[in-house]
Amino acid sequence: MRSFQRTCLFLLATLLVLPLSAQQKFTGDSHCGYEGKSQWLQDYQDGKLPAVQKSNNGINYLPLAVNMLADNNGTNYMSPLRFLDALTLLNSDFLDQDIQFYVEGGLRYINSTRYNDHDSNTGDEMMRTYNLPNRVNTYIVEDPNGNCGYYSGGRDAVVLGRNCLGGQDRTWSHEMGHYFSLPHTFYGWESVQEIAAIDLNNPAPATVRYRGRNVPTELADGSNCAVAADGFCDTDADFLMQRWGCNNQGFYPDSLMDADSVRFAVPAFNIMSYALDVCVSSFTQEQKDAMFANMESIIQNRPVASSPPNLEAASVDDLIMYAPEDRERLVYQDSVSMIWNSVPNASYYVVQVNQTSNFNGAVLLTTTTNDTTLTLTEGLSRRTTYYWRIRPVAEYNVGGAFGPTFQFRNGTQLTSTIDAELNAAINVAPNPVFGGQMLRIEGRDLDLTGTLNYQVINAAGQVMINRQGIPVNVSGISERIDTGNLPAGMYFLRMQVADRMISRRIVVTP
């Protein structure tokens, strides 16, 4: 395995701005927002950079920093399941190039309406604020500047519209092509802007004026392929700068005419074209070679990992759902903590909650967490049955399935006696905790003085541990609970700090 170090190799991309009304929702039918051709690629195609042969070092695993954007109120996130389908497709498109991507550190959630639906300046601000070093910074938003997606050379990041991602949509692969130096197959024709402006009955111009230079248009016989358009000789001539659909034979329905008056058909398979997702499928070999060489130039100074990655998927057979127990009736109506075990190989977990046992349609909640517990305090109704399930996800192998579906019924009492602000400031970990392991109660900068009193109570209501009078100062709390004498099972940890109460459910495992 190779770790990843990124240097800026691209010229700043000029973003394509498409007008959208304030009421119009992004549908995913607009253009890619990248229009450049990098200096690195120009040098590579001119023979100034050596060709790179694949070695026997195996797959290069490149870490992604994935930022999921939503509106200020936390709505409009992309479904984690659809994201995993998109990541699986991305990796399948790059597997034969010995490149695979993985999410490092789990998904990052950002609530910002400004960034979720942004123009070029706001998008640049977003990347400047949230980019992490040595990762492929990726942002999934509602509307990326009116495009399906774009690569920002200036910020070295990829921004994707969530409506253009999924198990059949190759926008991500297209933008990663830009990330690794590839231009569009129709490079130069961006300046024409509309397919309707192409005169199908007359020869194409010998050049098109684009980005301050005359770009040769590619001839159908490929005789000028090294200097025309994208500079690759195994990509077909392509003048189509708008999204287009293919016929049953996989070509643009109309023939085009090159500068020598030769008619030709444009095949639709190339991921770097603007053919619709149902038409595209792959890169050409020269495109693959260029991307691999670019990747090697990026990571040539990387350190070599001491051990290969663990490619095993997280097995749902190892999942244990502790709480709520199946068909449990809860006391409170407005708060529930779901707790499960740490599954071997799992890097994060997909959690779903619904009011029916059918998760195939609209689902009440689908989210991810790096923890083994998730507490819901909003959107719950009294005396209502809910269904929940967990899917563990490994870092390098995101395949897998959901575990069993459990159900619980909400109670009638409110948690109004629980201090919400203090409850959010106190961390109790690990949970679940192995018997004999120390359970930590941590709270920083609580701005409280007085004492901490707490009790550990088993499911039968018996007080197993009772501690009183632990000093609390303004800097916070740091307490350790020895679980060595607690049998495996579920417990309630009730804490009082000064005159404020909080409660947590904990699980002790064998």
Side-chain angles (χ1 to χ4, degrees):
M1 183 186 97
R2 303 170 179 190
S3 62
F4 181 74
Q5 187 173 12
R6 180 80 185 174
T7 56
C8 184
L9 298 172
F10 290 87
L11 299 176
L12 176 63
T14 301
L15 300 181
L16 177 64
V17 181
L18 299 179
L20 288 176
S21 69
Q23 294 79 25
Q24 182 180 4
K25 284 294 183 182
F26 177 61
T27 62
D29 294 328
S30 301
H31 301 265
C32 159
Y34 180 81
E35 295 181 339
K37 184 174 181 179
S38 74
Q39 186 61 49
W40 181 92
L41 181 62
Q42 192 64 58
D43 291 342
Y44 172 83
Q45 292 178 332
D46 288 345
K48 298 177 182 179
L49 300 175
V52 177
Q53 299 296 322
K54 288 186 180 180
S55 65
N56 294 322
N57 293 334
I59 303 295
N60 297 275
Y61 289 91
L62 308 188
L64 301 169
V66 177
N67 303 277
M68 305 278 268
L69 275 294
D71 292 337
N72 291 340
N73 59 5
T75 61
N76 285 334
Y77 279 117
M78 181 183 183
S79 163
L81 296 179
R82 192 173 175 187
F83 166 79
L84 292 175
D85 289 342
L87 179 58
T88 299
L89 181 63
L90 174 71
N91 278 329
S92 71
D93 286 339
F94 281 84
L95 181 59
D96 65 353
Q97 297 157 70
D98 289 344
I99 298 174
Q100 293 287 270
F101 304 94
Y102 69 96
V103 178
E104 186 171 75
L107 302 178
R108 305 166 72 201
Y109 291 90
I110 301 171
N111 294 345
S112 172
T113 302
R114 288 182 67 245
Y115 294 156
N116 196 29
D117 183 347
H118 64 255
D119 59 19
S120 59
N121 290 333
T122 309
D124 184 79
E125 175 190 305
M126 173 187 70
M127 291 177 274
R128 185 173 67 249
T129 302
Y130 290 105
N131 271 9
L132 296 177
N134 301 327
R135 293 167 178 83
V136 182
N137 287 284
T138 306
Y139 297 83
I140 299 175
V141 304
E142 167 73 18
D143 181 353
N145 194 27
N147 307 294
C148 250
Y150 63 86
Y151 166 67
S152 170
R155 294 298 172 191
D156 203 30
V158 168
V159 186
L160 305 164
R162 68 168 180 270
N163 292 336
C164 297
L165 290 179
Q168 304 296 323
D169 301 310
R170 283 191 157 88
T171 296
W172 201 350
S173 296
H174 179 101
E175 300 306 332
M176 289 309 302
H178 291 317
Y179 186 89
F180 290 124
S181 83
L182 299 186
H184 293 129
T185 53
F186 51 84
Y187 178 73
W189 286 89
E190 290 95 336
S191 61
V192 178
Q193 297 184 341
E194 294 183 355
I195 293 176
I198 300 176
D199 186 351
L200 300 180
N201 297 314
N202 288 292
T207 64
V208 286
R209 188 70 178 172
Y210 183 59
R211 299 174 71 88
R213 61 184 289 260
N214 293 320
V215 180
T217 60
E218 188 166 359
L219 298 174
D221 63 5
S223 57
N224 67 339
C225 60
V227 296
D230 61 2
F232 294 112
C233 288
D234 61 352
T235 61
D236 295 272
D238 180 2
F239 306 160
L240 306 173
M241 80 305 290
Q242 285 183 297
R243 299 301 300 270
W244 53 275
C246 58
N247 58 24
N248 291 335
Q249 289 73 44
F251 290 88
Y252 181 65
D254 291 320
S255 63
L256 305 182
M257 188 182 296
D258 72 5
D260 286 347
S261 300
V262 176
R263 288 204 170 273
F264 66 96
V266 181
F269 73 89
N270 201 294
I271 289 173
M272 299 311 296
S273 74
Y274 266 6
L276 296 179
D277 291 289
V278 296
C279 305
V280 302
S281 59
S282 61
F283 301 100
T284 67
Q285 189 58 52
E286 288 186 17
Q287 288 175 320
K288 293 177 182 179
D289 292 343
M291 287 192 289
F292 187 82
N294 181 263
M295 183 271 300
E296 285 286 343
S297 72
I298 292 167
I299 64 173
Q300 59 185 340
N301 296 320
R302 67 200 175 283
V304 178
S306 57
S307 60
N310 183 355
L311 300 180
E312 287 189 46
S315 174
V316 73
D317 294 337
D318 296 322
L319 175 68
I320 303 173
M321 299 164 65
Y322 291 120
E325 295 180 349
D326 195 21
R327 300 181 182 276
E328 182 177 353
R329 291 180 175 268
L330 305 182
V331 174
Y332 295 110
Q333 63 170 283
D334 57 348
S335 179
V336 57
S337 293
M338 292 166 287
I339 305 172
W340 58 95
N341 69 315
S342 177
V343 176
N345 302 322
S347 177
Y348 52 99
Y349 302 86
V350 179
V351 183
Q352 287 192 307
V353 181
N354 206 19
Q355 286 186 305
T356 75
S357 59
N358 182 0
F359 288 87
N360 293 325
V363 175
L364 183 65
L365 171 72
T366 300
T367 188
T368 64
T369 177
N370 299 349
D371 205 348
T372 54
T373 182
L374 181 68
T375 300
L376 300 183
T377 57
E378 296 181 356
L380 298 172
S381 302
R382 68 197 302 265
R383 291 180 175 174
T384 300
T385 298
Y386 292 93
Y387 300 82
W388 67 291
R389 62 181 188 169
I390 306 290
R391 174 179 165 180
V393 182
E395 191 169 47
Y396 293 96
N397 184 341
V398 299
F402 279 95
T405 298
F406 278 17
Q407 63 176 283
F408 62 87
R409 186 170 177 81
N410 258 12
T412 58
Q413 296 185 31
L414 296 172
T415 57
S416 56
T417 56
I418 303 299
D419 190 291
E421 182 180 359
L422 181 62
N423 193 52
I426 297 293
N427 182 44
V428 178
N431 188 18
V433 59
F434 292 111
Q437 188 179 12
M438 287 293 181
L439 183 68
R440 304 185 304 275
I441 304 175
E442 301 280 358
R444 294 285 181 265
D445 300 322
L446 301 179
D447 197 24
L448 289 173
T449 58
T451 59
L452 165 66
N453 305 320
Y454 67 83
Q455 295 176 321
V456 178
I457 304 168
N458 66 15
Q462 180 182 6
V463 177
M464 304 297 291
I465 298 175
N466 188 1
R467 298 284 186 270
Q468 304 288 324
I470 301 167
V472 176
N473 55 49
V474 292
S475 64
I477 300 170
S478 182
E479 175 68 358
R480 301 291 186 270
I481 301 176
D482 186 354
T483 63
N485 293 322
L486 295 178
M490 187 168 20
Y491 297 85
F492 292 93
L493 174 61
R494 293 181 179 172
M495 296 169 279
Q496 180 179 358
V497 181
D499 59 348
R500 301 163 71 174
M501 298 289 297
I502 61 176
S503 178
R504 297 290 174 86
R505 184 187 296 216
I506 60 173
V507 173
V508 177
T509 60

